[in-house]
Amino acid sequence: MRIDILTLFPEMFEGFLSCSIIKRAIEKKKVEINIVNFRNYSKDPHNKVDDTPYGGGCGMVLMIQPIYDAVMSLKKENTKVILLTPDGMVYNQKKAYELKENKHLILICGHYEGFDERIKSIVDYSISIGDYVLTGGEIPSMIITDTVVRLIDGVIDSNSHIKDSFNPKTNLLDYPTYTKPREFMGMKVPEVLLNGNHKEIEEYRTKESLEKTRKIRPDLLEK
Ligand code: ADE
């Protein structure tokens, strides 16, 4: 898979791309991630990418031209173009599984007060990562990239996906896990996890997953 991220702040991605699972996925050639500064596509003599809104109002609005030209120069036949915006559909694990099936994604990060609405004419999906407003789409684009890359075959052990919270097959929260020591400040690891009986452990985990979901996210059980 290839992911092109269009941003005005490439430096925000340095840490994200150089650590942990994402770094390893790139090294193992499971994914190619390109950070593209769309300012480089501006036709303005001063490389301007934004201007004041028609009709008045505060802040600056991203112009369509640099983003349009960047998308057109990168887009291939099977590319999905995604705009990160608070007024998009709210992202979830099911969407991550859907996006994982694509060979090429282009993620467009807005910034400042927003972008010219006509940008939506060249996108396949507008995605929001939740009902709150960030200063730009950079963190949302990292969230999409992170959730999708960890689902690509061979990036992490695929057996662990089934126990992920929100796995579309179960739609439950993950069960609680413990490690050494067996007791810490009076808090003990549940006995059932220490007895080596795999059937009992499985039953216990399913029960805990269900109980946790019922308590914290009953809406998931309704779905
Ligand atoms: N840009 C600013 N806020 C956002 C959000 N909640 N989701 C996606 N992109 C955004």
Side-chain angles (χ1 to χ4, degrees):
M1 174 185 270
R2 174 177 157 154
I3 304 177
D4 292 323
I5 303 178
L6 273 50
T7 173
L8 291 174
F9 299 95
E11 58 281 18
M12 282 181 76
F13 294 84
E14 284 165 16
F16 174 62
L17 298 178
S18 61
C19 299
S20 185
I21 292 168
I22 301 297
K23 178 186 178 206
R24 262 183 282 134
I26 296 168
E27 284 170 354
K28 286 205 270 176
K29 305 215 181 315
K30 299 287 175 192
V31 66
E32 185 189 337
I33 302 176
N34 295 308
I35 307 299
V36 179
N37 189 339
F38 60 83
R39 191 180 292 283
N40 297 338
Y41 288 83
S42 172
K43 288 186 174 143
D44 178 86
H46 305 288
N47 289 339
K48 228 168 107 100
V49 289
D50 55 4
D51 214 321
T52 51
Y54 279 123
C58 57
M60 299 295 271
V61 177
L62 290 172
M63 297 187 288
I64 184 165
Q65 178 274 317
I67 293 177
Y68 181 91
D69 285 354
V71 169
M72 291 309 145
S73 80
L74 296 164
K75 199 171 147 83
K76 297 188 201 85
E77 205 185 322
N78 295 320
T79 303
K80 286 278 181 279
V81 182
I82 297 166
L83 179 67
L84 286 320
T85 167
D87 66 9
M89 65 169 119
V90 179
Y91 191 61
N92 59 23
Q93 189 69 3
K94 187 162 170 262
K95 193 79 197 161
Y97 273 95
E98 251 175 73
L99 294 182
K100 175 218 156 195
E101 297 305 322
N102 292 284
K103 290 247 172 312
H104 184 209
L105 302 176
I106 296 180
L107 308 182
I108 306 171
C109 308
H111 220 90
Y112 311 123
E113 274 308 304
F115 38 77
D116 189 310
E117 190 69 12
R118 291 169 291 184
I119 288 172
K120 290 191 180 157
S121 67
I122 55 163
V123 311
D124 295 292
Y125 311 106
S126 293
I127 294 182
S128 161
I129 54 145
D131 293 346
Y132 39 80
V133 179
L134 295 133
T135 53
E138 281 74 17
I139 294 169
S141 76
M142 290 182 216
I143 289 173
I144 307 264
T145 303
D146 192 281
T147 51
V148 170
V149 170
R150 69 184 286 284
L151 295 179
I152 296 174
D153 293 344
V155 170
I156 56 173
D157 179 1
S158 59
N159 288 325
S160 72
H161 293 148
I162 186 70
K163 75 175 229 9
D164 281 346
S165 293
F166 318 112
N167 180 301
K169 288 201 181 109
T170 60
N171 213 22
L172 295 174
L173 298 181
D174 193 4
Y175 54 74
T177 51
Y178 301 85
T179 187
K180 292 184 181 72
R182 277 184 180 213
E183 186 172 339
F184 182 74
M185 294 175 78
M187 294 180 284
K188 290 184 181 153
V189 172
E191 204 55 42
V192 59
L193 298 176
L194 309 171
N195 69 12
N197 183 331
H198 295 292
K199 190 166 167 280
E200 264 183 37
I201 292 172
E202 202 58 39
E203 283 168 4
Y204 161 82
R205 286 178 166 165
T206 306
K207 190 170 138 271
E208 288 292 314
S209 236
L210 268 164
E211 256 168 40
K212 199 178 178 186
T213 310
R214 197 170 295 130
K215 218 188 267 172
I216 302 169
R217 292 291 307 274
D219 57 300
L220 296 178
L221 294 173
E222 282 154 28
K223 284 179 201 154

